[in-house]
Amino acid sequence: MALPALGLDPWSLLGLFFFQLLLLLLPPPTAGEGGQGPMPRVRYDAGDPRRGLSLFQQKGLRDFDTLLLSGDGNTLYVGAREAVLALDVQHPGAPRLKNMVLWPASESKKRECALKKKSNETECFNFLRVLVSFNATHLYACGTFAFSPACTYIGLQDSFLSSVSEKLTEGKGQSPFDPAHKHTAVLVDGMLFSGTMNNFLGSEPILMRTLGSRPVLKTDTFLPWLQSDASFVAAVPSAQVVYFFFEETASEFDFFEKLRTSRVAQVCKNDVGGDKLLQKKWTTFLKAQLLCAQPGQLPFNVIRHAVLLPGESSSDSRVYAVFTSQWQIGGTRTSAVCTFSLSDIERAFKGQYKELNKETSRWTTYVSPATSPRPGSCAAGPASDKALTFMKDHFLMDEKVVGTALLVKSGVEYTRLEVEAARGLDGHSYVVMYLGTSTGSLHKAVVSQGGSAYLVEEVQLFPEPEPIRNLQLAPSQGTVFAGFSGGIWSLPRANCSVYESCVDCVLARDPHCAWDPELRVCSLLRTPDQISWKQDLERGNPEWACAKGPVGRSRRPQSRPQIIKEVLVVPNSILELPCPHLSALASYRWSRGTGTVPEASSAVYNGSLLLLPQDGVGGLYQCIATENGFSYPVVSYWVDSQDRPLALDPELAGIPRERVQVPLTRVGGGAAAAAQRSYWPHFLVVTVLLALVLSGALIVLLASPLGALRARGKVQGCGTLPPGEKAPLSREPCLQPRKESRTSATDVGAGNSCVGTEVA
Ligand SMILES: *[C@@H]1O[C@H](CO)[C@@H](O)[C@H](O)[C@H]1NC(C)=O
Ligand SMILES: *[C@@H]1O[C@H](CO)[C@@H](O)[C@H](O)[C@H]1NC(C)=O
Ligand SMILES: *[C@@H]1O[C@H](CO)[C@@H](O)[C@H](O)[C@H]1NC(C)=O
Ligand SMILES: *[C@@H]1O[C@H](CO)[C@@H](O)[C@H](O)[C@H]1NC(C)=O
C-alpha cells in the first residue's frame, strides 16, 4: 500500500518542491530577544508545569499590595483593599487562609472622596499601605482610607487576626492619600519611620517618625529638603540611623531638561527635634545622591526599590537596589541592579556638604570648619541653635554614593526585588536576587564571586502582563510570594528536578541545586555539606563537575547520549525531529553520525530538524548543544525505514533505546488526506503564492499577442497538476478522507485529526 520510500515519482518531486518552498516561507523563528545584558538561561511561560505556581485568591478581594511575614516565618499577613488577611504559608503550595478582618473606609469618607472627583470604583477605598508587627499581640496598619489616611491596631491571637481596633488614628504622613503614590515605612525600636506624600494632591512629600515614646518628627515643608515630587521606595534601618531611598528632581545640576535623581537620606533614630528652631522637625536630615551607572552610558537615575542584605558585620551589610532610567533608548527600557555598601553611605554623610549660593542659584561645595558635635550627627541631646541654622541649609552632601552595577538589562523594567544569601558547595556565599518586572515575570539572578550577575531563570507569573506589586521571600520555606491585583502567587525558589542530567544541573549554576550522583537527580541543596554532590557555580563546567558520571567517561568533546529515540520514516512525509532548547545560553546544531546533516533534504526550523525522507536518509541524528565551551547531545534520534532497516552503529551499543512518534507533515500524495498542524498557514501561503505567480505569468503572457500560443501551453501544464495539489486550500479532505488518495491505512485511520502519525 505504502509508496516506496521515495523514488523519482511525481509525488516525491512535488513533495521536494513543497519542502523547499516551505523552507523559504517559514517565518524567521523567535528572533532572539537580543538586547543588552544577560539572558535568563531558562524561561518558563505562565502555567508551565515545571515551575508550578500556586495562586491564592479570595473572592471579593483585590489589590494584595502589602506583605508581612511573621517572625516565625509561618504566617504571611497581607494588606489588601479594605481587608487584612493571615495566610498559613508553613507548607509548600498555595497559601491557606487562616482568617481575615475587614477594614473598609467609612461610608462618609467614601462619599467625601467621590465628591472630590475621585473614582468610587477604583480609588475611594481603603488601600492597605503600612502593615508592621507592632508587638507580640498587635499589628499596626495604615491605609489610604478613601483619600483620608488612617491607621489602626489589629489584634493577634496565635497569629490569627482577632480584631481591628475601633479607634482609628490620623494616618497622614504614614500612608499616602492616593493609592497610586509611593510610600515606605519601617518599624524600628517601636517607632514608625515613614516616607510618603502628605497631601491630597501629592505635592508635599514627607519623612516622618511616629509611634513610640519619642516626639513625632517631620521634614520641614518650608525648607527645600525634599523636592515636591520626591517618591519614596524603601527604608532601611541601621544601628543609629534610618536610611530612606527615593527619587526626585535634581536641583543641583544645570541641565536643560528636568533631571531626576536617586537619593539616600538619613535621619537619626535618637533625634528629638529642635528647641526653638526646627521644633518637631528633624535636626539630622541629610541626603546624598545615589549613582548607579555603567561607564559610557547614561546613568540609571530612577530608583524603584531597595533592600538590605545584612552582612556578618555591619560593615559588610549592603543595600541592593533596582533602577531604571528616565530615558528610553530605542524605545525600550533598561534596568540595572546596583549594590551599595552601608559604609560608603555612612562615609558620604560624614563628608562635605553642598551649599546653595543664593545669588547664582548654584550649588557649591561647602568647606566646613570642623565643629563638634558635627551637625547632623547622631550626638545625644539637643543641638545648638547655630548647628540647627546650619542644618536648615546644609542637607545635601557633596559626595555621592557610587554603587556597583551587578546587572544591566535592556527590555525589562524591574520594579521590586528580594535578596538572600545562599551558600554553595564551594563554601562561598552567593547573593541570590529575585527581581520582579513590570510585565509580571520574576528573574532569579545570582551574583558570581567576580561581582556580575547571571540569570538562572525567568518565570512568567501572569498569563497577561501586569506588574508585580510586591515580593516577599520566606527563607525557611524557600518560597517567593508575589502580590498583585488579583491575589498572591507563591513560587518555590528553585525546582531542581527540571534539570534532568548532571550536565544540565551543573550548567544551570543555581546555588540551590546540585547533582546527587547516587540518586542521579538534581536536588535541592539544603545544607552545603553534601560533599559528594556536584555543583560548579563559578565556572559552570560539567566536564569537571560531572567527571565521575557518564559524561566524563569520554574525553571527546561531546558526550554519549543517555537514550536514543527511534523514529521510523513515513513515505511522503516531512519528519520533524524536535530538540528542546533547554538553555537560552547554548547554541544548538544538528549532526548526522559524525558529520553534518545533508542540506538538500533537511532544514532546521525553530530548533527542530525537518527531514524529507529520501534514500539513505537513515542514521543517527543528534541535536548538540554547546554551552560554556562544553558540547553535549540534547536528544539523539535513530532514523530508520521499515523496509530497509539499518544496522546499528556498534559505537551506540548498550545505550537504551525507545521508539517514539514525531510530528509529521504530509506532502505530495499525502497532502490530500492529511493536512498538518502547524504548517497549515504556510501551505496556504505557498499555494496562494503559487497561484498568484502562475496567474501573474498568465496575465503577462496573455497580454503579449506573441506569447498567446505559448500561454495556452502553460495553462495546460498547470492543469496537469495532480488533483491533490489543491487540497491545502481546503480542509474538506480532512473530514472526508478520499478512498482514492494513496496513503497508508494509518494515515486515513487518523481520520479527522488531520495529523499524520507514524506507522508503528
Ligand atoms: C518540578 O519539575 C518537575 C519536572 O519538570 C515537575 O514534574 C514538577 O511538577 C515540578 N515541581 C514543581 C513544584 O513545580
Ligand atoms: C459610583 O457613583 C455612581 C454615580 O455617582 C453610581 O451610579 C455608582 O453606582 C457608584 N458605584 C459604586 C461602586 O458605588
Ligand atoms: C501591644 O500594643 C498594643 C497597642 O498599643 C497594646 O494595647 C498592647 O498592650 C501591647 N501588647 C504588649 C504585649 O505589649
Ligand atoms: C517552536 O518550538 C516550541 C517548542 O519546541 C513551540 O512551543 C513553538 O510553538 C514553536 N514555534 C513555532 C513558530 O513553531
Side-chain angles (χ1 to χ4, degrees), residues 504-568:
D504 204 23
C505 187
V506 169
L507 283 171
R509 296 169 75 200
D510 185 332
H512 295 123
C513 297
W515 181 255
D516 177 351
E518 259 164 58
L519 296 180
R520 304 186 48 74
V521 285
C522 192
S523 292
L524 200 60
L525 191 61
R526 282 174 218 281
T527 54
D529 50 15
Q530 304 284 2
I531 28 176
S532 67
W533 290 20
K534 304 296 175 193
Q535 191 186 53
D536 184 12
L537 296 179
E538 273 315 304
R539 288 161 300 169
N541 181 352
E543 228 163 333
W544 171 79
C546 303
K548 290 209 179 72
V551 166
R553 232 185 278 146
S554 73
R555 296 298 308 160
R556 287 180 301 167
Q558 77 192 49
S559 55
R560 270 163 75 88
Q562 296 192 340
I563 191 160
I564 295 178
K565 300 186 172 185
E566 287 184 338
V567 176
L568 273 188

Side-chain angles (χ1 to χ4, degrees), residues 49-52 492 495 497-498 500:
R50 292 174 295 166
R51 261 342 229 124
N495 179 7
S497 39
V498 301
E500 290 178 359

Side-chain angles (χ1 to χ4, degrees), residues 20 57 71 94 99 133 201 329 356 358 371 374 393 477 497 534 545 559 561 600 632 635 643 663 669 720 741 745 749:
Q20 296 300 337
Q57 280 183 306
N99 75 329
S133 221
L201 292 176
I329 299 144
L356 185 65
K358 300 235 161 72
T371 51
R374 188 189 145 87
D393 296 326
Q477 284 80 18
S497 39
K534 304 296 175 193
S559 55
Y632 62 101
V635 58
D643 303 345
T720 61
S741 56

Side-chain angles (χ1 to χ4, degrees), residues 38-77:
M39 291 276 286
R41 184 173 181 273
V42 191
R43 273 173 211 270
Y44 301 96
D45 291 334
D48 191 317
R50 292 174 295 166
R51 261 342 229 124
L53 292 163
S54 311
L55 174 62
F56 172 83
Q57 280 183 306
Q58 182 70 22
K59 207 160 176 270
L61 289 192
R62 285 190 57 74
D63 302 308
F64 294 72
D65 292 341
T66 314
L67 305 177
L68 168 71
L69 196 65
S70 67
D72 62 7
N74 292 335
T75 306
L76 183 69
Y77 299 109

